[in-house]
Amino acid sequence: MQGSDMQGSDMTVQQAQRALSSAFKTAGIDTAPLDARVLLEAVTGLDATDMARLPERLLTAQERALLLDYQTQRLRAKPVSKILGQREFWGRAFEVNEHVLDPRPDSETLIEAALQHLPEAQAFRLLDLGTGSGCLLLTLLAERAHGEGLGVDVSGAALAVAQANAQRLGVSAQAQFLESHWFEAVTPSFDMIISNPPYISDAQIRQLDKNVLEYDPRLALHGGEDGLDPYRHISAQAQSYLRPEGWLLFEIGHTQGEEVCAMMRQSGFEEISVLPDLGARDRVVMARAPRGPRRK
Ligand code: GLN
């Protein structure tokens, strides 16, 4: 779709979708048809069914202008979620911006695992270290009405997004937020600690997609020279913040399972297991604090 097409004569939703999709395909965007549909839906307020029913519906001049703007942004490698300011996670829409990591489908593995160990009918306390958009913490609280949670982040701007998402999901009463470098300002104790910390190494960060590198905050990505710094730090301290037999769940990069397990073992955790994501790659490491008081 050329700029002149969009500004010029009439265009139906079907024509716009085809033109947009082919422009994205030409630019090498893997998800071209999907991106075209999502952007067009956002611009017109129509859903997929409406669009199938009304392929001849004309775009207004305003819609054409907005769509052209979205097209330009997408062609500059900006992800659809960051263009629209929202992203679906576990069936709910989360607000996102340049201060937070985009919620990823991979992280749903952690949600699934956590839900198995969070009671449905009893109170519990959950801590999310590096909460970002709040997608992990707030999804779990939305699924468990008796749970309470604390979302920690070193970025105040990220916490503002998480707070807005808590309101959006109707779980503000269950959630609190705290600006802190990991455990620094946190007081014990919790039944479960979850974290999807930054885990990209120096070497990998240079190879990241433009998509990720330019539009996800580096603070949310870079985990030190070998990418494992946050796991080392959190594993070593977590038991002081967990109740006996409390759970620690990490999202990991798919090659980090063994090393993260070893750190947890060394810190005295038990029942350590690694869980795969939908692509069958290691994605979550989960372990339990011992029953008794911590042995050093
Ligand atoms: N907890 C958030 C998420 O899983 C943010 C993680 C991060 O910024 N590293 O998306």
mmCIF file with all atom_site columns, all heavy atoms in Angstrom, residues 217-233:
data_model
loop_
_atom_site.group_PDB
_atom_site.id
_atom_site.type_symbol
_atom_site.label_atom_id
_atom_site.label_alt_id
_atom_site.label_comp_id
_atom_site.label_asym_id
_atom_site.label_entity_id
_atom_site.label_seq_id
_atom_site.pdbx_PDB_ins_code
_atom_site.Cartn_x
_atom_site.Cartn_y
_atom_site.Cartn_z
_atom_site.occupancy
_atom_site.B_iso_or_equiv
_atom_site.pdbx_formal_charge
_atom_site.auth_seq_id
_atom_site.auth_comp_id
_atom_site.auth_asym_id
_atom_site.auth_atom_id
_atom_site.pdbx_PDB_model_num
ATOM 1   N N   . PRO A 1 217 ? 12.746 -2.549  26.565 1.00 0.00 ? 217 PRO A N   1
ATOM 2   C CA  . PRO A 1 217 ? 13.798 -1.843  27.308 1.00 0.00 ? 217 PRO A CA  1
ATOM 3   C C   . PRO A 1 217 ? 14.987 -2.757  27.617 1.00 0.00 ? 217 PRO A C   1
ATOM 4   O O   . PRO A 1 217 ? 14.808 -3.900  28.010 1.00 0.00 ? 217 PRO A O   1
ATOM 5   C CB  . PRO A 1 217 ? 13.092 -1.420  28.603 1.00 0.00 ? 217 PRO A CB  1
ATOM 6   C CG  . PRO A 1 217 ? 11.829 -2.185  28.674 1.00 0.00 ? 217 PRO A CG  1
ATOM 7   C CD  . PRO A 1 217 ? 11.510 -2.690  27.324 1.00 0.00 ? 217 PRO A CD  1
ATOM 8   N N   . ARG A 1 218 ? 16.179 -2.248  27.414 1.00 0.00 ? 218 ARG A N   1
ATOM 9   C CA  . ARG A 1 218 ? 17.393 -3.037  27.642 1.00 0.00 ? 218 ARG A CA  1
ATOM 10  C C   . ARG A 1 218 ? 17.458 -3.536  29.093 1.00 0.00 ? 218 ARG A C   1
ATOM 11  O O   . ARG A 1 218 ? 17.894 -4.647  29.374 1.00 0.00 ? 218 ARG A O   1
ATOM 12  C CB  . ARG A 1 218 ? 18.617 -2.167  27.334 1.00 0.00 ? 218 ARG A CB  1
ATOM 13  C CG  . ARG A 1 218 ? 19.909 -2.926  27.273 1.00 0.00 ? 218 ARG A CG  1
ATOM 14  C CD  . ARG A 1 218 ? 20.962 -2.069  26.637 1.00 0.00 ? 218 ARG A CD  1
ATOM 15  N NE  . ARG A 1 218 ? 20.910 -2.191  25.194 1.00 0.00 ? 218 ARG A NE  1
ATOM 16  C CZ  . ARG A 1 218 ? 21.855 -2.796  24.471 1.00 0.00 ? 218 ARG A CZ  1
ATOM 17  N NH1 . ARG A 1 218 ? 22.923 -3.285  25.050 1.00 0.00 ? 218 ARG A NH1 1
ATOM 18  N NH2 . ARG A 1 218 ? 21.752 -2.897  23.178 1.00 0.00 ? 218 ARG A NH2 1
ATOM 19  N N   . LEU A 1 219 ? 16.969 -2.706  29.987 1.00 0.00 ? 219 LEU A N   1
ATOM 20  C CA  . LEU A 1 219 ? 16.933 -3.050  31.410 1.00 0.00 ? 219 LEU A CA  1
ATOM 21  C C   . LEU A 1 219 ? 16.157 -4.348  31.647 1.00 0.00 ? 219 LEU A C   1
ATOM 22  O O   . LEU A 1 219 ? 16.430 -5.093  32.580 1.00 0.00 ? 219 LEU A O   1
ATOM 23  C CB  . LEU A 1 219 ? 16.237 -1.893  32.149 1.00 0.00 ? 219 LEU A CB  1
ATOM 24  C CG  . LEU A 1 219 ? 16.296 -1.817  33.666 1.00 0.00 ? 219 LEU A CG  1
ATOM 25  C CD1 . LEU A 1 219 ? 17.733 -1.691  34.138 1.00 0.00 ? 219 LEU A CD1 1
ATOM 26  C CD2 . LEU A 1 219 ? 15.479 -0.622  34.152 1.00 0.00 ? 219 LEU A CD2 1
ATOM 27  N N   . ALA A 1 220 ? 15.188 -4.610  30.790 1.00 0.00 ? 220 ALA A N   1
ATOM 28  C CA  . ALA A 1 220 ? 14.347 -5.805  30.945 1.00 0.00 ? 220 ALA A CA  1
ATOM 29  C C   . ALA A 1 220 ? 14.947 -7.016  30.241 1.00 0.00 ? 220 ALA A C   1
ATOM 30  O O   . ALA A 1 220 ? 14.431 -8.121  30.355 1.00 0.00 ? 220 ALA A O   1
ATOM 31  C CB  . ALA A 1 220 ? 12.956 -5.528  30.383 1.00 0.00 ? 220 ALA A CB  1
ATOM 32  N N   . LEU A 1 221 ? 16.041 -6.804  29.517 1.00 0.00 ? 221 LEU A N   1
ATOM 33  C CA  . LEU A 1 221 ? 16.598 -7.875  28.688 1.00 0.00 ? 221 LEU A CA  1
ATOM 34  C C   . LEU A 1 221 ? 17.953 -8.381  29.177 1.00 0.00 ? 221 LEU A C   1
ATOM 35  O O   . LEU A 1 221 ? 18.208 -9.574  29.226 1.00 0.00 ? 221 LEU A O   1
ATOM 36  C CB  . LEU A 1 221 ? 16.787 -7.377  27.246 1.00 0.00 ? 221 LEU A CB  1
ATOM 37  C CG  . LEU A 1 221 ? 15.554 -6.966  26.462 1.00 0.00 ? 221 LEU A CG  1
ATOM 38  C CD1 . LEU A 1 221 ? 15.963 -6.257  25.176 1.00 0.00 ? 221 LEU A CD1 1
ATOM 39  C CD2 . LEU A 1 221 ? 14.687 -8.167  26.147 1.00 0.00 ? 221 LEU A CD2 1
ATOM 40  N N   . HIS A 1 222 ? 18.824 -7.456  29.552 1.00 0.00 ? 222 HIS A N   1
ATOM 41  C CA  . HIS A 1 222 ? 20.228 -7.788  29.755 1.00 0.00 ? 222 HIS A CA  1
ATOM 42  C C   . HIS A 1 222 ? 20.494 -8.313  31.162 1.00 0.00 ? 222 HIS A C   1
ATOM 43  O O   . HIS A 1 222 ? 20.300 -7.594  32.144 1.00 0.00 ? 222 HIS A O   1
ATOM 44  C CB  . HIS A 1 222 ? 21.077 -6.536  29.469 1.00 0.00 ? 222 HIS A CB  1
ATOM 45  C CG  . HIS A 1 222 ? 22.532 -6.810  29.498 1.00 0.00 ? 222 HIS A CG  1
ATOM 46  N ND1 . HIS A 1 222 ? 23.447 -5.935  30.023 1.00 0.00 ? 222 HIS A ND1 1
ATOM 47  C CD2 . HIS A 1 222 ? 23.247 -7.888  29.082 1.00 0.00 ? 222 HIS A CD2 1
ATOM 48  C CE1 . HIS A 1 222 ? 24.659 -6.447  29.921 1.00 0.00 ? 222 HIS A CE1 1
ATOM 49  N NE2 . HIS A 1 222 ? 24.559 -7.640  29.347 1.00 0.00 ? 222 HIS A NE2 1
ATOM 50  N N   . GLY A 1 223 ? 20.947 -9.561  31.247 1.00 0.00 ? 223 GLY A N   1
ATOM 51  C CA  . GLY A 1 223 ? 21.168 -10.197 32.552 1.00 0.00 ? 223 GLY A CA  1
ATOM 52  C C   . GLY A 1 223 ? 22.635 -10.317 32.920 1.00 0.00 ? 223 GLY A C   1
ATOM 53  O O   . GLY A 1 223 ? 23.036 -11.293 33.551 1.00 0.00 ? 223 GLY A O   1
ATOM 54  N N   . GLY A 1 224 ? 23.441 -9.343  32.518 1.00 0.00 ? 224 GLY A N   1
ATOM 55  C CA  . GLY A 1 224 ? 24.871 -9.385  32.842 1.00 0.00 ? 224 GLY A CA  1
ATOM 56  C C   . GLY A 1 224 ? 25.646 -10.173 31.798 1.00 0.00 ? 224 GLY A C   1
ATOM 57  O O   . GLY A 1 224 ? 25.081 -10.681 30.837 1.00 0.00 ? 224 GLY A O   1
ATOM 58  N N   . GLU A 1 225 ? 26.963 -10.316 32.034 1.00 0.00 ? 225 GLU A N   1
ATOM 59  C CA  . GLU A 1 225 ? 27.851 -10.881 31.023 1.00 0.00 ? 225 GLU A CA  1
ATOM 60  C C   . GLU A 1 225 ? 27.356 -12.233 30.492 1.00 0.00 ? 225 GLU A C   1
ATOM 61  O O   . GLU A 1 225 ? 27.255 -12.448 29.293 1.00 0.00 ? 225 GLU A O   1
ATOM 62  C CB  . GLU A 1 225 ? 29.254 -11.013 31.603 1.00 0.00 ? 225 GLU A CB  1
ATOM 63  C CG  . GLU A 1 225 ? 30.290 -11.259 30.526 1.00 0.00 ? 225 GLU A CG  1
ATOM 64  C CD  . GLU A 1 225 ? 31.676 -11.466 31.102 1.00 0.00 ? 225 GLU A CD  1
ATOM 65  O OE1 . GLU A 1 225 ? 31.904 -11.050 32.265 1.00 0.00 ? 225 GLU A OE1 1
ATOM 66  O OE2 . GLU A 1 225 ? 32.506 -12.053 30.391 1.00 0.00 ? 225 GLU A OE2 1
ATOM 67  N N   . ASP A 1 226 ? 27.014 -13.159 31.401 1.00 0.00 ? 226 ASP A N   1
ATOM 68  C CA  . ASP A 1 226 ? 26.544 -14.472 30.941 1.00 0.00 ? 226 ASP A CA  1
ATOM 69  C C   . ASP A 1 226 ? 25.021 -14.589 31.002 1.00 0.00 ? 226 ASP A C   1
ATOM 70  O O   . ASP A 1 226 ? 24.471 -15.663 30.763 1.00 0.00 ? 226 ASP A O   1
ATOM 71  C CB  . ASP A 1 226 ? 27.212 -15.594 31.751 1.00 0.00 ? 226 ASP A CB  1
ATOM 72  C CG  . ASP A 1 226 ? 26.788 -15.600 33.206 1.00 0.00 ? 226 ASP A CG  1
ATOM 73  O OD1 . ASP A 1 226 ? 26.041 -14.681 33.632 1.00 0.00 ? 226 ASP A OD1 1
ATOM 74  O OD2 . ASP A 1 226 ? 27.195 -16.514 33.933 1.00 0.00 ? 226 ASP A OD2 1
ATOM 75  N N   . GLY A 1 227 ? 24.339 -13.517 31.311 1.00 0.00 ? 227 GLY A N   1
ATOM 76  C CA  . GLY A 1 227 ? 22.874 -13.516 31.347 1.00 0.00 ? 227 GLY A CA  1
ATOM 77  C C   . GLY A 1 227 ? 22.274 -14.114 32.610 1.00 0.00 ? 227 GLY A C   1
ATOM 78  O O   . GLY A 1 227 ? 21.055 -14.168 32.756 1.00 0.00 ? 227 GLY A O   1
ATOM 79  N N   . LEU A 1 228 ? 23.142 -14.583 33.521 1.00 0.00 ? 228 LEU A N   1
ATOM 80  C CA  . LEU A 1 228 ? 22.622 -15.345 34.673 1.00 0.00 ? 228 LEU A CA  1
ATOM 81  C C   . LEU A 1 228 ? 22.667 -14.571 35.998 1.00 0.00 ? 228 LEU A C   1
ATOM 82  O O   . LEU A 1 228 ? 22.271 -15.115 37.039 1.00 0.00 ? 228 LEU A O   1
ATOM 83  C CB  . LEU A 1 228 ? 23.404 -16.655 34.822 1.00 0.00 ? 228 LEU A CB  1
ATOM 84  C CG  . LEU A 1 228 ? 23.282 -17.624 33.636 1.00 0.00 ? 228 LEU A CG  1
ATOM 85  C CD1 . LEU A 1 228 ? 24.322 -18.740 33.734 1.00 0.00 ? 228 LEU A CD1 1
ATOM 86  C CD2 . LEU A 1 228 ? 21.883 -18.210 33.557 1.00 0.00 ? 228 LEU A CD2 1
ATOM 87  N N   . ASP A 1 229 ? 23.136 -13.354 35.969 1.00 0.00 ? 229 ASP A N   1
ATOM 88  C CA  . ASP A 1 229 ? 23.280 -12.585 37.215 1.00 0.00 ? 229 ASP A CA  1
ATOM 89  C C   . ASP A 1 229 ? 22.002 -12.554 38.056 1.00 0.00 ? 229 ASP A C   1
ATOM 90  O O   . ASP A 1 229 ? 22.048 -12.812 39.259 1.00 0.00 ? 229 ASP A O   1
ATOM 91  C CB  . ASP A 1 229 ? 23.718 -11.135 36.924 1.00 0.00 ? 229 ASP A CB  1
ATOM 92  C CG  . ASP A 1 229 ? 25.196 -11.047 36.564 1.00 0.00 ? 229 ASP A CG  1
ATOM 93  O OD1 . ASP A 1 229 ? 25.889 -12.095 36.667 1.00 0.00 ? 229 ASP A OD1 1
ATOM 94  O OD2 . ASP A 1 229 ? 25.655 -9.957  36.175 1.00 0.00 ? 229 ASP A OD2 1
ATOM 95  N N   . PRO A 1 230 ? 20.850 -12.213 37.447 1.00 0.00 ? 230 PRO A N   1
ATOM 96  C CA  . PRO A 1 230 ? 19.641 -12.145 38.280 1.00 0.00 ? 230 PRO A CA  1
ATOM 97  C C   . PRO A 1 230 ? 19.297 -13.490 38.931 1.00 0.00 ? 230 PRO A C   1
ATOM 98  O O   . PRO A 1 230 ? 18.840 -13.523 40.078 1.00 0.00 ? 230 PRO A O   1
ATOM 99  C CB  . PRO A 1 230 ? 18.553 -11.723 37.288 1.00 0.00 ? 230 PRO A CB  1
ATOM 100 C CG  . PRO A 1 230 ? 19.289 -11.002 36.208 1.00 0.00 ? 230 PRO A CG  1
ATOM 101 C CD  . PRO A 1 230 ? 20.591 -11.729 36.084 1.00 0.00 ? 230 PRO A CD  1
ATOM 102 N N   . TYR A 1 231 ? 19.522 -14.602 38.221 1.00 0.00 ? 231 TYR A N   1
ATOM 103 C CA  . TYR A 1 231 ? 19.218 -15.920 38.812 1.00 0.00 ? 231 TYR A CA  1
ATOM 104 C C   . TYR A 1 231 ? 20.117 -16.199 40.014 1.00 0.00 ? 231 TYR A C   1
ATOM 105 O O   . TYR A 1 231 ? 19.672 -16.738 41.018 1.00 0.00 ? 231 TYR A O   1
ATOM 106 C CB  . TYR A 1 231 ? 19.399 -17.035 37.772 1.00 0.00 ? 231 TYR A CB  1
ATOM 107 C CG  . TYR A 1 231 ? 18.481 -16.899 36.589 1.00 0.00 ? 231 TYR A CG  1
ATOM 108 C CD1 . TYR A 1 231 ? 18.984 -16.663 35.319 1.00 0.00 ? 231 TYR A CD1 1
ATOM 109 C CD2 . TYR A 1 231 ? 17.098 -16.997 36.743 1.00 0.00 ? 231 TYR A CD2 1
ATOM 110 C CE1 . TYR A 1 231 ? 18.147 -16.531 34.228 1.00 0.00 ? 231 TYR A CE1 1
ATOM 111 C CE2 . TYR A 1 231 ? 16.254 -16.856 35.653 1.00 0.00 ? 231 TYR A CE2 1
ATOM 112 C CZ  . TYR A 1 231 ? 16.783 -16.620 34.394 1.00 0.00 ? 231 TYR A CZ  1
ATOM 113 O OH  . TYR A 1 231 ? 15.947 -16.488 33.315 1.00 0.00 ? 231 TYR A OH  1
ATOM 114 N N   . ARG A 1 232 ? 21.394 -15.831 39.867 1.00 0.00 ? 232 ARG A N   1
ATOM 115 C CA  . ARG A 1 232 ? 22.338 -16.027 40.971 1.00 0.00 ? 232 ARG A CA  1
ATOM 116 C C   . ARG A 1 232 ? 21.876 -15.254 42.190 1.00 0.00 ? 232 ARG A C   1
ATOM 117 O O   . ARG A 1 232 ? 21.781 -15.777 43.287 1.00 0.00 ? 232 ARG A O   1
ATOM 118 C CB  . ARG A 1 232 ? 23.717 -15.482 40.566 1.00 0.00 ? 232 ARG A CB  1
ATOM 119 C CG  . ARG A 1 232 ? 24.640 -16.538 40.120 1.00 0.00 ? 232 ARG A CG  1
ATOM 120 C CD  . ARG A 1 232 ? 26.021 -15.976 39.769 1.00 0.00 ? 232 ARG A CD  1
ATOM 121 N NE  . ARG A 1 232 ? 26.411 -16.649 38.556 1.00 0.00 ? 232 ARG A NE  1
ATOM 122 C CZ  . ARG A 1 232 ? 26.478 -16.091 37.360 1.00 0.00 ? 232 ARG A CZ  1
ATOM 123 N NH1 . ARG A 1 232 ? 26.268 -14.809 37.200 1.00 0.00 ? 232 ARG A NH1 1
ATOM 124 N NH2 . ARG A 1 232 ? 26.788 -16.822 36.329 1.00 0.00 ? 232 ARG A NH2 1
ATOM 125 N N   . HIS A 1 233 ? 21.568 -13.988 41.957 1.00 0.00 ? 233 HIS A N   1
ATOM 126 C CA  . HIS A 1 233 ? 21.196 -13.084 43.042 1.00 0.00 ? 233 HIS A CA  1
ATOM 127 C C   . HIS A 1 233 ? 19.905 -13.543 43.722 1.00 0.00 ? 233 HIS A C   1
ATOM 128 O O   . HIS A 1 233 ? 19.822 -13.641 44.940 1.00 0.00 ? 233 HIS A O   1
ATOM 129 C CB  . HIS A 1 233 ? 21.040 -11.688 42.437 1.00 0.00 ? 233 HIS A CB  1
ATOM 130 C CG  . HIS A 1 233 ? 20.748 -10.632 43.430 1.00 0.00 ? 233 HIS A CG  1
ATOM 131 N ND1 . HIS A 1 233 ? 21.729 -10.016 44.175 1.00 0.00 ? 233 HIS A ND1 1
ATOM 132 C CD2 . HIS A 1 233 ? 19.576 -10.089 43.826 1.00 0.00 ? 233 HIS A CD2 1
ATOM 133 C CE1 . HIS A 1 233 ? 21.170 -9.137  44.969 1.00 0.00 ? 233 HIS A CE1 1
ATOM 134 N NE2 . HIS A 1 233 ? 19.863 -9.154  44.785 1.00 0.00 ? 233 HIS A NE2 1
#
